[in-house]
Amino acid sequence: MLQTISFAKDDKPAIKGTILSVNQEPVAFANVMVEGTYKGAFTEEDGSFIIYDLPDGEYTVIISALGYKRITQKVTIKDGVAQNLNIAFEEEVTEIPQITVFANRDRMFTKVPGSAGYVSREELTKIKPISGNEALRRVAGVHVVDEEGLGMRVNIGIRGLDPDRSRSVLVMEDGVPVALAPYGEPEMYYSPAIDRMSGIEVLKGSGQILYGPQTIGGVINYLTANPPQEEEIKVRMQGGQGGFFSGLLSYGNTFGNSGIQVDYLRKQADEVGPTEFQINDFNVKFKQELTERSTLGLKLGVYNEVSNSTYIGLTQSMYDMGGMDFLRIAPDDQLDVKRFSGSATHEYKINDRVKLKTLAYAYTTTRNWRRQDFASTPPANPTGVVYGDTNIPGGAIYMRNSTGNRNRQFEVVGVEPRLEVQHDLFGFSNELQTGVRYLYEKAYEQRVNGTKFNVSSGNLVEDEVRTGNALSAYVQNKFNLSERFMVSAGVRVENFNYERDIFRRSFPGIGVRDTILVNNSSLTEVIPGLGFTYKVFDKTTVFGGVHRGFAPPRTKDAITSLGDALDLEAEKSWNYELGFRADVTSGVYAEITGFYMNFSNQVIPVSESSGGLGTGLVNGGATVHQGLEAALAVDFSKIFSWKKTSLIYDINASYVEATYSEDRFIDAGEDAPVNISGNFTPYAPQVFLSSALSVETLSGFGLRLTGTYVGDQFTDELNTVTPSANGQIGELPAYFTLDATASYFVEKWNTAFNVSVKNLTDERYISTRRPQGIRVGLPRFITAGFEIKF
């Protein structure tokens, strides 16, 4: 709720009025600002507003709202008489039809049946993120684990769910899923670059049942910019230590009924932490208004990344010794990610109350990864390179003269028509959304073992194809039972058919052989959801809901490498939440949400990326996730009616208890197996928060301080405290980081300059023990840059 700001009411009205649409419907939460001051207001639900305490003079009033054209109006105040403004908004003609998590005009969450968050363009500008992880931490309940420090492999956990490769979260860009294969392999080896985003939507409540396949943790939707009303050329550059550079060149314009937005991003670094990378990211969006009722949107994207990403981390002795935090243990490891994507959206207004939106998309992702082999004991094929303490069993890393090349290619095609209807069933105002979604996915996977430490060719030891066909249908209706009470009820049906074809693999005691192993399976699930909002007072809303959590098993986990169908269960839960959001008083906003997630079966990752042996996922049994999320924003400039300075403080805090809730016994090498019932699930800190203090002045100066705290967390099911010698198991101590950004806007140049410092106090901390060893958080990191608009 970072975008919510309340304005102070002084003694004397100066400007008042009503904001309506061209259809004479009230526009709630439009932003009315007096240029050159910090005076302003949000419109009430009836479209009315009042701005207080302005001396006589001429003013320019700027009125804006999501989905509408911006309006500039001249106003003269004379002899203290309040001026009346009655404005009719026109809809934004350059809005590209696309699937979003929230309605464009409801990002104040007045009718969202559950907890939600929205990171705005303004917030992204203030924090100057070098990775999307920084932005996502600004939403309560979202825990993000840094792997290489730049967010290229994003690991997102919501409400205590395991963050490994963001498997329990549905991640989209402009309504299109971005995972390798959304059903069969939902890992986030590709992550949308935060540098070109205009906002992020996060939905955690019952409303997420419209999306899929993941409806357990939440939905994250990255938003890109739409074509502007008038020609705009933007150049943004940011550079810093270790050869870090991020450069974005954008062009947008509207020509009659056509609009275009083109973005090219170049991002690179020679040595940020242990990482070297180059990214080229090109995107174009095109909008064409075909008729008064029909609009078409097209989007194309090309992404190419080359990085020295590796799975190998530090052993515990290497970390304790110091001085090796960012040692490149496997300098020849290389990950190549290539992605080509295209989507088309069409919106047809059947009449003023009925819309048909159709989304079609296709993308391919190639993920080839050369990784040097290593061992924790002296191997038969050593290179002679050894790291760590050889006197401690498991405390050293022996580099081998061979590689394991994991080459994968994914194809995804989907189509989704969605009907949106406003109707008056049972005499109430209703909003209906219903649609179907078909998704086809195919994964080609090979493993090539190289006989040298730095080669990408060699012996083909694994070769297979995995195919999936998914069909889902959903319906959700919002019943506006009164002006204050809204109930949302919905259901989605998921059907997923999947097949695994294995052409070559290694058989125990036999070796590598060509084969024909084929098996398939399917699952069907009904996923209901119910939510409500009730406006207790004009600016206080209570909300709540319950929905079924669902995630299908990965294809290669449900069907073994021997072609046996395990009928691995889907990940299922019942998720409940209850909360309220309120403008407590002028300039103070608060939100509190309690949640309870009861898993009948949570799938626990033991894959290589989660520090395991590469054997996939297992049924982890019953778990319970419960806790509180809280957000508070205080705008001191509105409380004290400051005219030339804005001072805002906010905090988003989460308390989570994620535990195994039934008896489950693990062999821990003791005389008897250990019952882990009551233990915390891995990588689920009980406390984590993000807090920020922002200062802006009319002279153009701005300062932002952002603090992040992550509490203690365990890394295995046994809740082991003492670190293992290889660094992969052991408690992660709590840590706190502080970021600072100073900016200055030069109006005559239309240019903003900034200096940003990440980890200002140079805190040394372990960010993760995954994939295979300790990763140290980035030390103090300084960048500087500018953004100019023509």
Side-chain angles (χ1 to χ4, degrees):
M1 299 300 292
L2 302 173
Q3 75 283 14
T4 303
I5 302 174
S6 299
F7 292 88
K9 294 183 179 180
D10 301 318
D11 296 329
K12 192 175 182 181
I15 303 172
K16 60 184 180 180
T18 303
I19 309 299
L20 304 173
S21 69
V22 291
N23 298 324
Q24 298 301 297
E25 297 177 348
V27 178
F29 299 105
N31 189 9
V32 186
M33 289 293 298
V34 180
E35 190 175 48
T37 76
Y38 278 108
K39 290 291 183 179
F42 285 121
T43 57
E44 304 289 342
E45 290 208 3
D46 62 358
S48 64
F49 72 92
I50 301 176
I51 298 175
Y52 294 85
D53 191 30
L54 283 172
D56 288 356
E58 293 187 355
Y59 298 93
T60 299
V61 178
I62 300 172
I63 307 159
S64 59
L66 288 165
Y68 293 100
K69 292 182 181 179
R70 176 171 157 165
I71 294 174
T72 300
Q73 183 79 36
K74 296 289 186 181
V75 172
T76 300
I77 298 177
K78 187 176 181 181
D79 299 329
V81 177
Q83 297 298 301
N84 289 296
L85 288 180
N86 294 301
I87 302 294
F89 258 131
E90 290 185 44
E91 290 196 20
E92 177 70 77
V93 296
T94 56
E95 187 74 15
I96 288 181
Q98 60 191 31
I99 303 298
T100 56
V101 172
F102 316 129
N104 277 353
R105 296 159 201 157
D106 195 27
R107 292 204 173 114
M108 296 305 195
F109 314 134
T110 55
K111 293 184 178 180
V112 175
S115 58
Y118 175 56
V119 184
S120 66
R121 184 199 300 265
E122 292 74 20
E123 177 68 11
L124 293 176
T125 299
K126 289 178 181 177
I127 62 179
K128 291 292 183 295
I130 61 172
S131 107
N133 296 352
E134 297 173 60
L136 290 168
R137 291 190 182 104
R138 300 294 294 136
V139 179
V142 179
H143 172 49
V144 191
V145 176
D146 278 323
E147 186 170 318
E148 80 294 305
L150 292 159
M152 293 184 291
R153 249 59 62 199
V154 66
N155 297 281
I156 306 169
I158 294 181
R159 294 177 171 176
L161 293 172
D162 195 297
D164 184 47
R165 292 289 181 261
S166 308
R167 288 187 178 98
S168 298
V169 180
L170 174 63
V171 182
M172 304 186 295
E173 181 179 317
D174 292 332
V176 175
V178 298
L180 297 177
Y183 282 80
E185 195 155 346
E187 281 81 2
M188 290 295 296
Y189 283 95
Y190 158 79
S191 300
I194 193 64
D195 310 66
R196 59 182 179 84
M197 296 302 151
S198 63
I200 306 175
E201 302 172 315
V202 180
L203 182 60
K204 295 168 282 184
S206 63
Q208 64 179 288
I209 67 162
L210 292 180
Y211 308 94
Q214 312 288 340
T215 56
I216 292 179
V219 178
I220 294 175
N221 189 29
Y222 291 86
L223 299 173
T224 62
N226 283 328
Q229 287 283 334
E230 300 176 349
E231 184 180 59
E232 181 177 279
I233 301 173
K234 180 169 62 178
V235 178
R236 182 195 305 155
M237 292 190 180
Q238 198 81 10
Q241 299 165 255
F244 174 82
F245 172 78
S246 173
L248 179 69
L249 175 63
S250 298
Y251 173 81
N253 203 354
T254 296
F255 308 91
N257 293 330
S258 303
I260 189 170
Q261 176 71 35
V262 182
D263 297 304
Y264 170 67
L265 171 68
R266 170 68 178 188
K267 194 171 184 179
Q268 65 185 50
D270 299 324
E271 193 174 6
V272 176
T275 306
E276 174 187 0
F277 71 94
Q278 300 87 38
I279 291 174
N280 289 286
D281 194 357
F282 175 80
N283 288 268
V284 59
K285 294 176 80 171
F286 177 77
K287 171 261 176 187
Q288 177 66 47
E289 190 174 350
L290 303 174
T291 68
E292 290 184 358
R293 294 183 177 272
S294 178
T295 305
L296 175 68
L298 299 174
K299 181 181 178 184
L300 297 173
V302 179
Y303 176 91
N304 185 56
E305 172 197 331
V306 178
S307 66
N308 69 326
S309 295
T310 182
Y311 268 12
I312 311 176
L314 305 180
T315 66
Q316 189 64 43
S317 62
M318 293 169 69
Y319 176 76
D320 293 340
M321 188 182 303
M324 291 185 284
D325 288 355
F326 307 110
L327 177 69
R328 290 189 181 176
I329 300 174
D332 293 295
D333 283 10
Q334 180 172 304
L335 174 62
D336 298 335
V337 179
K338 294 180 175 62
R339 190 174 191 270
F340 300 91
S341 60
S343 63
T345 50
H346 180 263
E347 180 179 299
Y348 181 70
K349 295 182 180 179
I350 299 173
N351 55 49
D352 290 342
R353 307 193 73 186
V354 181
K355 292 181 183 179
L356 176 63
K357 290 184 177 181
T358 303
L359 169 65
Y361 54 88
Y363 61 89
T364 66
T365 308
T366 301
R367 195 222 76 173
N368 294 339
W369 202 340
R370 181 181 69 217
R371 302 212 305 262
Q372 184 179 357
D373 296 327
F374 67 99
S376 58
T377 56
N381 60 338
T383 63
V385 177
V386 181
Y387 302 99
D389 191 339
T390 58
N391 296 315
I392 301 175
I397 300 171
Y398 297 83
M399 305 308 296
R400 298 171 58 189
N401 194 26
S402 59
T403 57
N405 299 283
R406 286 81 167 174
N407 299 333
R408 301 178 186 178
Q409 183 174 342
F410 301 85
E411 301 171 354
V412 177
V413 178
V415 62
E416 178 180 354
R418 175 184 293 194
L419 193 65
E420 299 179 359
V421 182
Q422 297 181 15
H423 61 97
D424 299 317
L425 184 66
F426 304 127
F428 299 111
S429 173
N430 292 259
E431 301 170 36
L432 173 71
Q433 294 187 72
T434 183
V436 295
R437 178 169 51 248
Y438 170 74
L439 188 143
Y440 165 84
E441 60 184 32
K442 197 164 191 175
Y444 303 86
E445 181 168 332
Q446 293 183 330
R447 175 164 176 148
V448 177
N449 287 347
T451 56
K452 298 292 182 181
F453 69 90
N454 60 352
V455 297
S456 301
S457 59
N459 301 316
L460 178 65
V461 296
E462 294 178 7
D463 187 13
E464 66 175 83
V465 175
R466 299 185 294 274
T467 307
N469 288 273
L471 181 64
S472 61
Y474 57 84
V475 59
Q476 178 174 274
N477 194 80
K478 291 183 179 180
F479 301 88
N480 296 297
L481 302 180
S482 70
E483 292 185 358
R484 294 182 176 273
F485 189 35
M486 186 276 293
V487 173
S488 175
V491 64
R492 185 173 94 248
V493 178
E494 285 278 2
N495 176 260
F496 181 44
N497 292 277
Y498 48 96
E499 179 177 289
R500 186 174 185 181
D501 300 296
I502 303 172
F503 307 121
R504 189 173 177 87
R505 70 173 300 273
S506 178
F507 293 88
I510 300 176
V512 177
R513 293 289 185 273
D514 289 333
T515 185
I516 300 177
L517 294 172
V518 180
N519 210 332
N520 58 70
S521 189
S522 66
L523 61 88
T524 300
E525 189 74 22
V526 178
I527 307 158
L530 180 68
F532 76 92
T533 62
Y534 179 70
K535 185 179 292 185
V536 182
F537 306 108
D538 285 344
K539 295 185 179 181
T540 301
T541 300
V542 175
F543 61 87
V546 56
H547 75 276
R548 183 66 156 162
F550 166 81
R554 296 193 310 173
T555 301
K556 64 181 179 181
D557 300 316
I559 300 174
T560 72
S561 57
L562 292 175
D564 297 325
L566 297 179
D567 294 325
L568 189 67
E569 297 178 23
E571 195 167 4
K572 291 182 285 189
S573 66
W574 283 106
N575 300 352
Y576 308 85
E577 66 176 10
L578 180 65
F580 82 92
R581 55 179 72 99
D583 285 314
V584 179
T585 185
S586 179
V588 179
Y589 171 85
E591 178 175 327
I592 296 178
T593 306
F595 61 87
Y596 181 85
M597 303 162 64
N598 190 350
F599 285 83
S600 58
N601 175 57
Q602 181 174 169
V603 176
I604 303 298
V606 292
S607 59
E608 286 185 271
S609 64
S610 61
L613 299 176
T615 54
L617 312 185
V618 297
N619 292 321
T623 64
V624 167
H625 299 236
Q626 55 189 333
L628 289 173
E629 298 166 353
L632 176 69
V634 181
D635 190 336
F636 294 99
S637 54
K638 305 311 171 186
I639 294 174
F640 299 109
S641 194
W642 296 339
K643 295 181 176 64
K644 296 185 178 182
T645 302
S646 172
L647 177 62
I648 301 173
Y649 172 76
D650 71 68
I651 183 170
N652 298 291
S654 304
Y655 176 80
V656 181
E657 285 192 357
T659 58
Y660 297 96
S661 57
E662 292 182 357
D663 290 344
R664 181 164 168 253
F665 293 88
I666 299 292
D667 185 0
E670 307 290 341
D671 294 336
V674 176
N675 188 354
I676 64 169
S677 177
N679 282 14
F680 291 101
T681 60
Y683 287 88
Q686 285 186 279
V687 178
F688 49 98
L689 60 86
S690 176
S691 184
L693 181 68
S694 303
V695 180
E696 292 180 285
T697 69
L698 291 179
S699 62
F701 174 77
L703 177 65
R704 160 62 75 92
L705 297 174
T706 305
T708 302
Y709 174 81
V710 179
D712 298 338
Q713 52 193 302
F714 295 106
T715 59
D716 69 334
E717 298 166 306
L718 294 171
N719 289 183
T720 305
V721 175
T722 304
S724 61
N726 62 13
Q728 297 179 27
I729 294 175
E731 186 179 30
L732 281 185
Y735 62 88
F736 174 80
T737 60
L738 181 66
D739 300 339
T741 300
S743 61
Y744 184 71
F745 179 69
V746 181
E747 187 173 5
K748 65 179 180 179
W749 296 344
N750 202 20
T751 303
F753 298 92
N754 75 84
V755 175
S756 179
V757 184
K758 310 299 180 185
N759 194 1
L760 183 65
T761 61
D762 205 20
E763 173 92 353
R764 183 176 185 250
Y765 63 96
I766 299 175
S767 61
T768 181
R769 295 182 181 275
R770 293 174 173 173
Q772 293 175 329
I774 293 172
R775 302 299 179 99
V776 182
L778 284 183
R780 184 185 297 117
F781 187 73
I782 303 173
T783 65
F786 68 90
E787 179 177 308
I788 183 170
K789 295 180 181 179
F790 301 95

